């Protein structure tokens, strides 16, 4: 059953409207739904089944059932990653959303290749938000990951102070042959905590950045991963450690 997000608290046996143009187009023209068809709605406080009661410029639906489901990771994982060239960052956030990331912090690292100004970055963020929303709907997420751009590594340092854990994916750890740092780091994580994992762009993080961030450096296995692959590896490992074992 198709899933949509509505920024409101849901109550059973009440009527609501979907006003988002992309969602309306998807319901009408992609899914070709009709009166009395059903879909799942992620409200701010609950997940419910809605039955369509009117199709016009907006979609009106009636909540008929509350669902008791849990599709989120037991911890809140933020991926702070240096911006990547071409469409690699878009691909990464799409897949990372499917794997359970709760927030993305793109930043300009010392070794970031691409150049962006404020106007271009605003448009990029709008596109990123659309990508993660669609990925969250497709993967039956209960929340849409937030995206917050920071201009440089120094600004990122301020953002990471509030996390329970900060891990830095550093390729020099992997090159040294160390394979237990990530496992050991995850063993210290408790359910409900917030984690920020920092990844570099193409070329990785500089030594100065690693020292500046001050978190725990981790390796992601014996192989050196591409910048767009490393966050997905980390999220998969966390899912296994925290959800599947």
């Amino acid at each position: 059953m198709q899933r949509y997000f509505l920024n409101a608290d849901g109550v059973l046996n009440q009527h609501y409207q979907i006003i988002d143009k992309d969602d309306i187009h998807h319901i009408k023209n992609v899914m070709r739904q009709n009166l009395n068809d059903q879909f799942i709605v992620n409200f701010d406080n609950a997940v419910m089944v809605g039955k369509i009661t009117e199709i016009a410029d907006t979609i009106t639906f009636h909540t008929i059932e509350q669902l008791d489901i849990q599709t989120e990771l037991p911890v809140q994982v933020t991926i702070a990653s240096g911006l990547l060239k071409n469409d690699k960052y878009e691909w990464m956030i799409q897949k990372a959303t499917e794997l359970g990331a709760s927030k993305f912090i793109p930043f300009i690292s010392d070794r970031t290749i691409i150049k962006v100004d404020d106007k271009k970055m605003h448009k990029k963020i709008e596109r990123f938000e659309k990508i993660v929303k669609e990925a969250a709907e497709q993967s039956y997420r209960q929340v849409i990951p937030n995206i917050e751009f920071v201009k440089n590594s120094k600004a990122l340092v301020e953002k990471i102070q509030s996390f329970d854990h900060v891990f830095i994916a550093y390729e020099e750890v992997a090159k040294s042959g160390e394979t237990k740092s990530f496992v050991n780091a995850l063993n210290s994580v408790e359910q409900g905590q917030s984690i920020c994992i920092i990844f570099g762009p193409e070329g990785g993080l500089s030594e100065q950045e690693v020292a500046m961030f001050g978190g725990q450096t981790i390796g992601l296995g014996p192989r050196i991963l591409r910048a767009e692959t490393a966050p997905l590896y980390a999220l998969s490992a966390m899912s296994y450690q925290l959800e599947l074992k």
Side-chain angles (χ1 to χ4, degrees):
M1 195 179 299
Q2 185 61 37
R3 181 172 299 220
Y4 301 97
F5 288 87
L6 194 62
N7 186 23
D9 285 342
V11 179
L12 275 177
N13 301 316
Q14 296 293 322
H15 282 88
Y16 297 88
Q17 285 187 322
I18 292 179
I19 61 174
D20 183 272
K21 291 182 179 179
D22 290 336
D23 289 343
I24 294 169
H25 169 75
H26 193 269
I27 291 169
K28 286 183 175 181
N29 303 316
V30 179
M31 301 303 295
R32 298 185 182 277
Q33 291 194 299
N34 300 304
L35 293 179
N36 297 319
D37 285 347
Q38 299 177 10
F39 47 66
I40 295 174
V41 182
N42 283 317
F43 290 97
D44 291 339
N45 64 326
V47 181
M48 297 186 180
V49 176
K51 178 187 288 188
I52 297 174
T53 58
E54 183 180 358
I55 299 177
D57 292 337
T58 61
I59 304 293
T60 303
F61 67 93
H62 186 75
T63 51
I64 60 173
E65 179 186 359
Q66 183 166 339
L67 302 178
D68 182 16
I69 59 175
Q70 174 55 256
T71 60
E72 295 301 309
L73 284 171
V75 292
Q76 298 178 29
V77 183
T78 293
I79 301 296
S81 175
L83 277 171
L84 307 174
K85 62 183 181 180
N86 301 326
D87 60 352
K88 293 179 180 178
Y89 190 83
E90 295 179 359
W91 182 85
M92 185 275 287
I93 61 174
Q94 180 190 59
K95 304 309 175 187
T97 297
E98 295 176 22
L99 290 169
S102 59
K103 183 176 180 178
F104 297 99
I105 305 179
F107 69 99
I108 303 298
S109 171
D110 290 348
R111 296 174 179 170
T112 295
I113 297 173
I114 66 170
K115 304 297 182 182
V116 293
D117 56 31
D118 289 344
K119 185 176 181 180
K120 288 183 178 179
M121 198 62 224
H122 179 73
K123 290 183 177 179
K124 280 183 176 289
I125 293 297
E126 288 183 343
R127 176 163 172 77
F128 294 164
E129 289 174 341
K130 182 177 181 180
I131 288 170
V132 299
K133 177 179 180 292
E134 291 175 351
E137 291 172 348
Q138 184 276 327
S139 56
Y140 278 27
R141 292 287 303 274
Q142 292 170 264
V143 298
I144 301 173
N146 178 260
I147 302 176
E148 182 180 7
F149 171 69
V150 297
K151 292 184 177 181
N152 52 50
S153 300
K154 290 183 179 179
L156 179 60
V157 172
E158 298 179 5
K159 293 292 182 183
I160 63 178
Q161 301 304 314
S162 61
F163 289 90
D164 295 314
H165 302 274
V166 176
F167 303 147
I168 305 169
Y170 192 36
E171 65 182 35
E172 296 303 322
V173 176
K175 288 179 180 178
S176 69
E178 201 287 321
T179 59
K180 298 295 184 182
S181 57
F182 194 24
V183 173
N184 294 335
L186 291 180
N187 285 335
S188 67
V189 172
E190 298 179 4
Q191 185 169 331
Q193 289 187 322
S194 60
I195 302 166
C196 180
I197 312 182
I198 303 174
F199 300 87
E202 299 91 346
L205 297 167
S206 68
E207 293 182 6
Q208 292 77 13
E209 286 176 312
V210 173
M212 186 191 310
F213 295 142
Q216 180 177 352
T217 57
I218 59 172
L220 301 177
R223 291 162 293 282
I224 303 303
L225 305 175
R226 289 181 179 270
E228 67 270 26
T229 308
L232 310 184
Y233 179 101
L235 286 164
S236 298
M238 294 181 72
S239 175
Y240 173 76
Q241 179 78 2
L242 302 174
E243 291 184 304
L244 304 181
K245 286 183 68 175

